[in-house]
């Protein structure tokens, strides 16, 4: 049986013919020109919806000199913090007429560098990078071609690249101050990271412990060393992120410990995981919605002609729940 030919894609001409108006009036109405009356615009929009008309991306690119695409590169799809950042970027991008193209690199520097290059070659208008694994020289090269905004922390600011980040040292200090206020002294920090954000959280933890007079109890361990911490009498654990905090919860519960009665557990990021596990996780909230909004705002500022580098640091907030 012969395959039916696909229906041709509706055009501006089809909308104009159905609405009984000129093609130029349809074009003005669809782009929100103030010279088109509200009633006429509503009628044309209704007809466009009826016939299934969608603007051609390639046509808009040729006409406006822009792709109206925003590239987003993340380290991995596994960490809910990064996927939630993507969602906030996409929401903010939609408000300014941009669509998001997502790429991830599985924490592989070479693959991430390739993704940055590929999105640039695709012709995106700008790039949001949510990964400290992208080499600085790759960010610098990309910023020569298009606006680049880093969400999260790099070791040092990269020339030509804007950034939005969380004050990770302050966030860690909030955790320690909270636990000390609840009477804990033997507070350990669990981390598997040597990346800039992880190192900043470690510094914040160590400095806050010393300020509290608990320098002798400073203990930093890998996630697979939790049993040793508990065996040594540590009864509060601050994990680098919510994923690792959930691993600590699992290990404590496997040992028959009650959380928080026997051991308090605190995470970082306030992802969906923190609200779904039981007991619900006390954690540090990064302003993900604000981070996405500011990243898109910085990018559009660059598109508008701004040339100076902007580095914004947002204040974290401790969200106290049942785990500690």
């Amino acid at each position: 049986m012969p395959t039916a030919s696909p229906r041709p894609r509706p055009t501006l001409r089809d909308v104009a013919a159905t609405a009984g108006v000129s093609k130029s009036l349809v074009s003005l109405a669809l782009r929100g020109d103030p010279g088109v009356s509200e009633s006429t615009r509503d009628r044309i929009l209704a007809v466009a919806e009826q016939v299934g008309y969608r603007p051609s991306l390639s046509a808009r690119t040729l006409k406006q000199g822009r792709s109206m695409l925003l590239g987003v590169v993340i380290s991995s799809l596994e960490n809910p913090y990064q996927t939630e950042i993507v969602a906030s970027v996409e929401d903010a991008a939609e408000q300014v007429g941009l669509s998001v193209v997502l790429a991830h690199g599985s924490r592989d520097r070479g693959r991430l560098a390739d993704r940055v290059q590929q999105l640039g070659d695709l012709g995106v208008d700008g790039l949001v990078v949510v990964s400290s694994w992208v080499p600085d020289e790759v960010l610098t090269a990309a910023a020569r071609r298009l606006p680049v905004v880093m969400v999260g922390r790099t070791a040092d600011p990269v020339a030509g690249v804007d950034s939005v980040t969380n004050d990770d040292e302050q966030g860690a200090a909030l955790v320690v101050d909270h636990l000390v206020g609840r009477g804990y002294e033997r507070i350990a920090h669990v981390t598997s990271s040597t990346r800039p954000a992880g190192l900043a959280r470690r510094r914040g933890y160590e400095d806050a412990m010393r300020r509290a007079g608990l320098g002798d109890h400073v203990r930093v361990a890998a996630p697979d060393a939790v049993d040793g911490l508990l065996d040594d009498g540590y009864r509060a654990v601050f994990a680098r992120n919510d994923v690792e905090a959930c691993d600590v919860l699992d290990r404590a519960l496997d040992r028959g410990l009650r959380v928080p009665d026997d051991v308090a557990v605190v995470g970082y990021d306030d992802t969906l995981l923190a609200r779904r596990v039981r007991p619900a996780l006390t954690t540090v909230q990064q302003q993900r919605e604000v981070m996405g909004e500011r990243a898109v705002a910085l990018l559009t500022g660059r598109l508008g002609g701004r040339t100076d580098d902007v580095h914004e640091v947002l204040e974290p907030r401790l969200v106290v729940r049942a785990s500690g």
Side-chain angles (χ1 to χ4, degrees):
M1 181 175 180
T3 303
S5 300
R7 294 179 59 189
R9 179 173 179 160
T11 65
L12 277 178
R13 193 180 303 278
D14 296 321
V15 178
T18 304
V21 298
S22 68
K23 181 180 170 182
S24 60
L25 182 58
V26 171
S27 180
L28 290 170
L30 292 179
R31 68 170 183 253
D33 191 284
V36 181
S37 70
E38 184 175 349
S39 60
T40 299
R41 181 168 54 252
D42 289 345
R43 181 165 64 87
I44 290 173
L45 290 174
V47 169
E49 182 70 25
Q50 174 190 331
V51 303
Y53 172 77
R54 293 292 183 272
S56 165
L57 178 59
S58 59
R60 283 192 298 166
T61 299
L62 289 172
K63 187 170 183 177
Q64 301 178 16
R66 289 177 52 187
S67 68
M68 306 306 292
L69 295 175
L70 168 60
V72 180
V73 177
I74 65 174
S75 295
S76 170
L77 294 169
E78 296 176 356
N79 189 330
Y81 161 74
Q82 295 203 347
T83 55
E84 290 175 22
I85 288 286
V86 172
S88 71
V89 169
E90 188 165 24
D91 288 344
E94 185 178 7
Q95 297 301 312
V96 294
L98 296 171
S99 298
V100 166
V101 181
L102 174 65
H104 73 94
S106 300
R107 297 190 183 90
D108 180 280
R109 287 175 179 270
R111 184 173 178 179
L112 283 160
D114 288 343
R115 296 297 176 264
V116 170
Q117 177 71 37
Q118 289 161 1
L119 288 174
D121 292 344
L122 182 64
V124 297
D125 291 331
L127 194 63
V128 175
V129 177
V130 194
S131 173
S132 63
W133 290 88
V134 178
D136 288 357
E137 61 271 19
V138 174
L139 295 174
T140 300
R144 296 192 190 105
R145 304 171 60 191
L146 73 168
V148 178
V149 179
M150 178 77 184
V151 174
R153 186 179 292 272
T154 56
D156 296 295
V158 179
V161 177
D162 296 331
S163 66
V164 183
T165 190
N166 178 73
D167 189 336
D168 291 299
E169 292 188 31
Q170 181 186 355
L174 291 174
V175 174
V176 173
D177 293 346
H178 166 73
L179 292 171
V180 169
R182 292 204 163 181
Y184 294 97
E185 295 185 352
R186 299 179 69 81
I187 304 166
H189 180 45
V190 166
T191 179
S192 63
S193 176
T194 58
R195 307 308 303 152
L199 294 176
R201 292 169 197 179
R202 175 174 177 163
R203 286 194 302 272
Y205 156 77
E206 293 173 342
D207 289 347
M209 288 287 286
R210 294 187 185 100
R211 285 196 300 272
L214 300 174
D216 290 344
H217 295 316
V218 168
R219 179 85 169 267
V220 179
D224 59 5
V226 171
D227 283 332
L229 295 175
L230 299 175
D231 289 341
D232 289 345
Y234 280 85
R235 286 298 173 257
V237 178
F238 162 44
R240 173 181 66 100
N241 60 28
D242 291 345
V243 174
E244 292 184 1
C246 287
D247 291 341
V248 175
L249 281 176
D250 287 344
R251 194 71 211 107
L253 295 173
D254 286 346
R255 289 169 61 104
L257 298 176
R258 297 167 299 167
V259 178
D261 294 341
D262 298 322
V263 58
V265 180
V266 179
Y268 203 108
D269 290 336
D270 193 29
T271 60
L272 183 63
L273 279 176
R275 301 185 291 278
R276 290 291 178 85
V277 297
R278 290 294 179 268
L281 190 65
T282 294
T283 184
V284 176
Q285 181 187 77
Q286 300 199 58
Q287 301 180 56
R288 293 183 300 282
E289 295 82 2
V290 177
M291 292 174 112
E293 291 171 4
R294 294 308 306 152
V296 173
L298 290 173
L299 186 146
T300 55
R302 287 278 191 181
L303 289 171
R306 176 174 54 80
T307 57
D308 57 308
D309 295 356
V310 176
H311 303 291
E312 298 188 3
V313 181
L314 305 180
E315 290 191 8
R317 182 173 71 91
L318 184 70
V319 179
V320 178
R321 297 193 178 97
S323 70

